[in-house]
Amino acid sequence: MKLRGKDMVGLRHITAQEIELILNTAEAMKGIINRQIKKVPTLRGRTVITVFYEASTRTRTSFELAAKYLSADTVGIAAATSSVSKGESLKDTARNIAAMGADVVVLRHPMAGAAELLASTLQASVINAGDGAHEHPSQGLLDLFTAREKKGRLEGLKVAIIGDIMHSRVARSDIWGYTRMGAEVRLAGPSTLIPRDIEKMGAIVCENIEDALAGADVVNVLRIQTERQQQGLFPSLREYSRMFCINRERLGLAAPDALLMHPGPMNRGIEISPDVADGLQSVITEQVTNGVAVRMALLYLLIGGGAR
Amino acid sequence: MKLIIKGGLVVDPVAGSATIKDILVVEGKIAETGANLSAGGAVVLDAAGRLVAPGLIDMHVHLREPGFEAKETVYTGTRAAARGGFTTVACMPNTNPVIDNAALIRSIINSARTGGLVQVCPVGAITRGSRGEELAEMGDMAEAGAAAFSDDGMPVSNAGLMRRAMQYAKMLDKALISHSEEKSLSAGGSMHEGYISTILGLKGISACAEEVMVARDILLAEETGCRVHIAHVSTAGSVRLLQEAKARGVRVSAEATPHHFTLTDEAVMGFDTNTKVNPPLRTGADLAAVRQGLADGTIDVIATDHAPHTAEEKDVEYERAPFGLVGLETAVGLVWTELVNTGVLTPLQAITCMTLNPARILGIPKGTLEPGADADITIIDPALAEVVDPAKFASKGRNTPFAGRMLKGLPWLTMISGRIVMRGGVLEEENQQQ
Amino acid sequence: MIKEKAQILDQEGIRRSLTRIAHEIIERNKGTDGLALVGIRRRGVPLAGRLAERIMDIEGHRVPVGILDITLYRDDLTTLAHQPLVRSTEISFQVEGKIVVLVDDVIYTGRTIRAALGALIDLGRPKAIQLAVLIDRGHRELPIRADYIGKNVPTAKKEEISVRLQEIDGEERVVILETPD
């Protein structure tokens, strides 16, 4: 079995069987990360280029490690956002990448649809490492992987996603992924940050945070960008924290063995309180490890052989 | 020079009739219409099986001159118009500089006279530089030939200023064309706000961003008595507001574009920047309301909002791409395929929306086949079918979301003041070169 | 059409071969001290399990058994028509200092074993690695040989050896298949 597409731009069009394949492959990959010699020769001679138009040390490092563990060569292009405004088009960047002979391009970009634009231009596989508020499939997959690993299943799980849903590509990828695997997704956050018609994606929009958390098996807390407050989307960080911060008391509404996740980086004391972030239910650091495994799986499945 | 158009179905919006008869054209004017006409020495043009209409008018076009000649010029834009079956276009003033004074109005008219192929009616700006701060010299512009006034694309957000503009335009007996958009509601958006914008992660433009302004301008029109024309109506709410206003007798008219009665926001799904247009493509319910509005006369005009851009400008991330798509060369095909062939509009209704109604709003003596009128005539072949191929466009703009779409019912001939400028989809000047 | 040419081993034959190999392993290594078995996915896995049981029967001592997945070490990934599934390697003991007996069903070109050696060595530094196979069909492309062989079967290249095991195939025999030219 193989992924159907040349690229991984989002989870919207990915089938349950494909998700299953990715997660199973990631399980094997995690075995490699956990051993002393964290390297297999699988992608020797292949080149992975990371192109980041937004700074994100964590995601970029995760992809680079994944590539290196599989013995691929990696090159990073730090395309500062300023070069976008200077008029260097994404298509021009794409042409340069094609000329360098990459097998996989990992793209992080502030605008929705950028990965699809690049994928349509390049013969190489494109992995979307986050495009605007559209999708962040590898993060969605690592969330699924972590939940499945800890809970033994995805079907029937109750997953609460809390915070700035509107600007969150993670929320969108999570909703597609979890609902496709038969989990229930509930959303809660300030009403100004709940995008229109999102319930049509198959998620449940909760009136209040308590309803979303009640009996949840997974609580995924989204990062709140302080600039959203400056944009007037909610009155103050203080009030946001008072109404939506996941603290011990609120986490207590979830199932006793609920998992606490956060895509990082965290604003401790704003969307998540430090005691729960570092508490027993937190799987936030494991998410980071699992991220490498999932990205290894994606790299293998996209370019690890087998005629297309 | 005499010419007889024989045997076509003559659609006459003034008479409100569609009958098979002949039209005699003498010296660039319509001399006579009737059955079995003959005239010594006249060239005969066989129009049997085709539909003969007054020359089509597109009252919402961006010719991009001056300032954006890479996108379009009067020369190329008017050729695109002729290919699309239009004999008159009204061009919007959001150029660089903005057409906000009499000298610029005259320069457009001159450009059109020297290099243009069809009649061009410039629309002047409402405010200086379309900055929404102070009134432009609308009186001077009217005298120089401005057909109407609009700050298209840069809507007048100050209600007090808009009210004064209406009072002033009423004195001049000119229509104000309202690009109805409340910028504080639409800011940063690049498509319709709804399920599709949510899953694509694109910031949306809600229906209210348009409707709030439609409502405001209807109320101001009611109070001032000015003729107000609502450009590119895209939402069901706007149609309802127009319906209520017309029932009250407000002097308001409105237009709809082919893309708004053909496509919905689902077309944005693949991030094709050719679907990025302002107002944005809306939902199926909005599309149905726009069609219904055209059918019941709530919406008076079909106009294209022809907005050419260069390939480089459009070949970028969706959010960075400029709004707008080209429409002149697909309009008739879409009207026929989507509205006439499907029974939404009769041919007479469709033609009225593209001739007489815009002529009245612009106050120009067009859209008629009365003897004595300029022989501006468009012949449409309802059986002619073709797949849209942007490479064939006369426009510099290739930014259409309709490439590859099969259209049936296409312009077959365009005549301006008795002179044939397009035949069989090809400009006559190109035919002669070959 | 692939057709069955001949049966090489039946249920009894397989059982006897494994018993003999178990004895040979014990004999060669003078007992079970420091011994471990690692089955190569897929059919090496049940074979390794059975060998461990035989050794238990004979010596009364249970040797650790692991599972090795060599997919990520294959040298033919780019040329395969279908992308192979990656599965987990499950070796819960330290290979460092052990005598590891790799177990597979058939040895042919030797490339699988080369990959397995690479995979195993990446897990640590065994004292020695030995190889046990049920069938050696010849046609080696690499300088690799088995230490314990159930049966040598001379074959033509167009033939295929099919080892059918109860745990995977629901039957117990070894056959030669022939693919017509």
Side-chain angles (χ1 to χ4, degrees):
Chain A
M1 192 185 164
K2 193 161 170 62
L3 298 180
R4 288 169 307 151
K6 146 178 106 68
D7 311 293
M8 175 53 67
V9 295
L11 296 188
R12 180 155 68 98
H13 297 298
I14 303 297
T15 64
Q17 288 81 359
E18 286 176 300
I19 291 175
E20 201 85 53
L21 172 68
I22 296 164
L23 300 188
N24 291 345
T25 307
E27 219 169 86
M29 296 299 182
K30 194 170 178 183
I32 294 161
I33 301 171
N34 285 336
R35 63 191 213 195
Q36 214 156 29
I37 300 175
K38 299 173 175 52
K39 208 174 189 74
V40 291
T42 321
L43 298 184
R44 255 187 336 189
R46 303 301 196 101
T47 305
V48 175
I49 300 189
T50 58
V51 185
F52 274 54
Y53 283 89
E54 279 179 345
S56 169
T57 317
R58 181 193 304 231
T59 306
R60 182 188 200 127
T61 309
S62 181
F63 271 108
E64 286 181 358
L65 276 181
K68 286 179 201 294
Y69 289 170
L70 292 170
S71 297
D73 295 311
T74 64
V75 185
I77 300 178
T81 24
S82 60
S83 74
V84 178
S85 47
K86 274 178 196 157
E88 225 247 317
S89 80
L90 185 58
K91 288 259 179 148
D92 284 337
T93 308
R95 284 179 199 110
N96 293 334
I97 293 166
M100 290 178 208
D103 297 291
V104 175
V105 179
V106 178
L107 179 73
R108 162 66 64 90
H109 196 283
M111 291 176 193
E116 269 177 66
L117 179 66
L118 195 65
S120 69
T121 316
L122 290 178
Q123 279 198 312
S125 293
V126 172
I127 300 180
N128 180 7
D131 61 332
H134 177 221
E135 283 223 45
H136 191 353
S138 63
Q139 176 74 43
L141 288 164
L142 81 88
D143 289 351
L144 263 61
F145 181 86
T146 308
R148 192 181 79 159
E149 188 181 48
K150 296 283 170 188
K151 294 288 169 196
R153 70 196 160 101
L154 289 170
E155 200 175 345
L157 288 186
K158 297 184 182 73
V159 179
I161 304 177
I162 309 295
D164 180 0
I165 311 292
M166 179 178 283
H167 301 94
S168 177
R169 47 196 171 212
V170 177
R172 286 171 178 81
S173 291
D174 272 358
I175 295 170
W176 294 128
Y178 277 119
T179 54
R180 194 134 305 149
M181 301 312 284
E184 175 185 304
V185 179
R186 304 136 165 208
L187 309 172
S191 48
T192 44
L193 294 175
I194 304 288
R196 187 101 161 224
D197 294 342
I198 194 157
E199 65 281 357
K200 289 188 191 163
M201 287 175 73
I204 301 164
V205 178
C206 296
E207 290 286 315
N208 58 60
I209 188 168
E210 288 79 17
D211 288 355
L213 291 171
D217 300 297
V218 176
V219 178
N220 194 1
V221 185
L222 301 176
R223 176 180 165 78
I224 185 85
Q225 308 266 1
T226 49
E227 68 198 64
R228 305 298 173 212
Q229 189 266 323
Q230 286 145 20
Q231 290 164 0
L233 288 161
F234 56 90
S236 71
L237 285 172
R238 192 197 59 78
E239 182 164 302
Y240 181 88
S241 180
R242 191 179 62 73
M243 295 177 73
F244 296 101
C245 180
I246 298 300
N247 51 28
R248 191 173 296 279
E249 189 193 345
R250 289 207 171 102
L251 190 58
L253 299 170
D257 59 348
L259 306 174
L260 180 67
M261 298 194 192
H262 191 296
M266 287 184 275
N267 297 302
R268 286 165 187 270
I270 297 175
E271 74 260 4
I272 189 163
S273 73
D275 55 337
V276 300
D278 304 324
L280 289 173
Q281 287 172 266
S282 168
V283 291
I284 295 167
T285 48
E286 285 190 66
Q287 283 178 278
V288 178
T289 310
N290 293 342
V292 179
V294 160
R295 286 164 184 134
M296 287 171 79
L298 287 176
L299 289 173
Y300 170 73
L301 292 168
L302 288 175
I303 60 161
R308 196 165 285 285
Chain B
M1 170 75 197
K2 292 180 188 172
L3 187 142
I4 293 179
I5 302 169
K6 279 203 96 68
L9 179 72
V10 175
V11 179
D12 183 344
V14 177
S17 65
T19 45
I20 291 175
K21 54 184 174 180
D22 306 339
I23 298 178
L24 173 64
V25 173
V26 179
E27 299 301 330
K29 302 277 182 190
I30 291 170
E32 194 183 352
T33 60
N36 300 317
L37 294 185
S38 61
V43 178
V44 174
L45 198 62
D46 181 12
R50 301 194 172 102
L51 203 132
V52 182
L56 305 182
I57 301 167
D58 187 347
M59 68 176 290
H60 196 142
V61 167
H62 297 272
L63 293 179
R64 304 298 192 203
E65 199 179 311
F68 303 109
E69 287 83 357
K71 297 173 194 270
E72 194 80 288
T73 60
V74 170
Y75 183 93
T76 56
T78 54
R79 276 157 183 79
R83 254 198 101 233
F86 293 96
T87 57
T88 300
V89 296
C91 64
M92 287 296 163
N94 59 338
T95 48
N96 185 20
V98 168
I99 301 171
D100 65 356
N101 62 58
L104 283 166
I105 294 283
R106 276 187 219 104
S107 101
I108 295 296
I109 292 171
N110 269 336
S111 266
R113 260 189 209 132
T114 52
L117 196 54
V118 306
Q119 167 106 15
V120 175
C121 302
V123 174
I126 297 173
T127 66
R128 283 182 210 267
S130 286
R131 284 187 299 271
E133 290 162 4
E134 49 189 334
L135 292 180
E137 291 170 339
M138 289 158 60
D140 279 5
M141 285 191 277
E143 210 174 295
F149 296 97
S150 179
D151 278 1
D152 187 53
M154 299 281 291
V156 182
S157 61
N158 182 321
L161 183 61
M162 190 61 166
R163 181 169 177 267
R164 286 193 295 283
M166 286 193 195
Q167 291 169 326
Y168 206 80
K170 188 191 181 222
M171 172 182 81
L172 302 170
D173 193 25
K174 294 287 176 193
L176 280 198
I177 301 173
S178 163
H179 167 117
S180 303
E181 178 186 356
E182 171 53 53
K183 289 278 189 183
S184 70
L185 288 173
S186 63
S190 36
M191 67 172 295
H192 174 67
E193 181 184 295
Y195 175 61
I196 307 290
S197 70
T198 289
I199 65 173
L200 295 182
L202 288 169
K203 190 164 189 307
I205 299 171
S206 76
C208 262
E210 172 174 318
E211 290 154 8
V212 161
M213 281 304 224
V214 169
R216 182 198 77 174
D217 288 350
I218 284 171
L219 292 173
L220 292 174
E222 192 165 14
E223 187 177 80
T224 59
C226 177
R227 290 192 289 123
V228 169
H229 177 76
I230 307 294
H232 39 57
V233 168
S234 74
T235 77
S238 296
V239 176
R240 192 182 65 238
L241 287 163
L242 284 162
Q243 207 164 22
E244 290 163 4
K246 286 193 164 184
R248 288 202 304 277
V250 183
R251 297 176 80 194
V252 63
S253 59
E255 75 196 21
T257 70
H259 47 278
H260 286 116
F261 66 63
T262 304
L263 298 175
T264 66
D265 57 349
E266 293 196 14
V268 184
M269 213 84 97
F271 294 100
D272 175 5
T273 55
N274 291 327
T275 63
K276 185 171 174 180
V277 64
N278 190 15
L281 303 173
R282 303 286 188 182
T283 66
D286 294 308
L287 182 147
V290 167
R291 288 183 172 208
Q292 178 59 33
L294 282 164
D296 66 21
T298 305
I299 298 170
D300 313 82
V301 170
I302 294 168
T304 66
D305 194 5
H306 176 82
H309 292 291
T310 65
E312 289 73 23
E313 289 167 306
K314 278 288 193 180
D315 202 7
V316 295
E317 300 87 325
Y318 203 85
E319 290 168 73
R320 288 180 73 202
F323 288 105
L325 51 88
V326 291
L328 283 168
E329 291 165 85
T330 47
V332 169
L334 287 165
V335 168
W336 243 256
T337 307
E338 297 292 326
L339 302 180
V340 176
N341 296 344
T342 56
V344 175
L345 298 184
T346 64
L348 175 62
Q349 281 179 302
I351 293 301
T352 307
C353 288
M354 300 177 87
T355 55
L356 182 63
N357 288 354
R360 282 182 175 158
I361 292 161
L362 296 171
I364 54 173
K366 300 279 184 184
T368 170
L369 296 171
E370 295 296 300
D374 290 338
D376 288 1
I377 291 169
T378 300
I379 303 180
I380 292 167
D381 187 339
L384 201 59
E386 199 177 73
V387 171
V388 176
D389 177 7
K392 289 186 180 167
F393 286 177
S395 170
K396 285 190 178 182
R398 301 285 190 267
N399 47 308
T400 175
F402 298 113
R405 184 181 280 248
M406 172 64 85
L407 300 180
K408 188 175 180 201
L410 296 170
W412 177 72
L413 183 136
T414 310
M415 178 188 288
I416 295 165
S417 293
R419 184 165 71 97
I420 295 168
V421 295
M422 184 278 283
R423 202 195 300 243
V426 182
L427 295 174
E428 199 68 358
E429 56 195 24
E430 285 167 26
N431 278 338
Q432 283 157 5
Q433 276 163 18
Q434 282 161 8
Chain C
M1 258 296 284
I2 300 170
K3 70 166 194 281
E4 193 175 315
K5 194 181 162 194
Q7 179 163 310
I8 306 159
L9 290 174
D10 59 6
Q11 186 167 355
E12 273 304 295
I14 293 173
R15 195 185 58 78
R16 278 194 288 270
S17 295
L18 290 176
T19 306
R20 180 171 48 75
I21 291 173
H23 279 287
E24 286 174 13
I25 291 172
I26 297 162
E27 194 175 335
R28 166 119 170 232
N29 296 299
K30 300 182 174 66
T32 57
D33 225 28
L35 199 64
L37 301 181
V38 169
I40 299 171
R41 282 193 197 272
R42 288 177 73 196
R43 287 179 180 75
V45 176
L47 292 177
R50 294 188 201 177
L51 282 174
E53 270 168 39
R54 299 289 196 290
I55 292 170
M56 173 78 186
D57 293 345
I58 302 161
E59 290 287 289
H61 180 77
R62 177 155 277 287
V63 295
V65 181
I67 297 172
L68 192 66
D69 186 272
I70 58 128
T71 311
L72 296 170
Y73 288 82
R74 289 175 70 146
D75 62 1
D76 57 352
L77 282 172
T78 50
T79 58
L80 292 173
H82 298 287
Q83 185 176 47
L85 280 177
V86 179
R87 290 161 175 277
S88 297
T89 285
E90 295 166 24
I91 297 178
S92 54
F93 50 87
Q94 287 287 327
V95 299
E96 194 81 28
K98 291 255 174 12
I99 297 167
V100 176
V101 180
L102 281 174
V103 182
D104 205 358
D105 56 347
V106 179
I107 182 164
Y108 179 29
T109 61
R111 289 176 192 273
T112 299
I113 304 304
R114 189 219 48 91
L117 290 171
L120 196 58
I121 288 166
D122 277 358
L123 297 173
R125 187 174 183 278
K127 184 177 167 198
I129 302 175
Q130 299 167 0
L131 174 62
V133 296
L134 188 60
I135 305 290
D136 183 347
R137 61 167 293 194
H139 303 289
R140 213 76 78 243
E141 292 169 4
L142 296 172
I144 285 172
R145 59 164 183 79
D147 300 277
Y148 314 103
I149 298 164
K151 193 175 174 70
N152 279 297
V153 181
T155 56
K157 280 211 157 187
K158 66 175 184 178
E159 292 169 342
E160 199 181 306
I161 298 285
S162 174
V163 174
R164 317 258 172 93
L165 300 176
Q166 198 64 44
E167 296 90 328
I168 292 169
D169 312 291
E171 58 174 338
E172 194 76 5
R173 59 201 195 105
V174 179
V175 294
I176 296 190
L177 304 177
E178 190 176 39
T179 41
D181 316 277

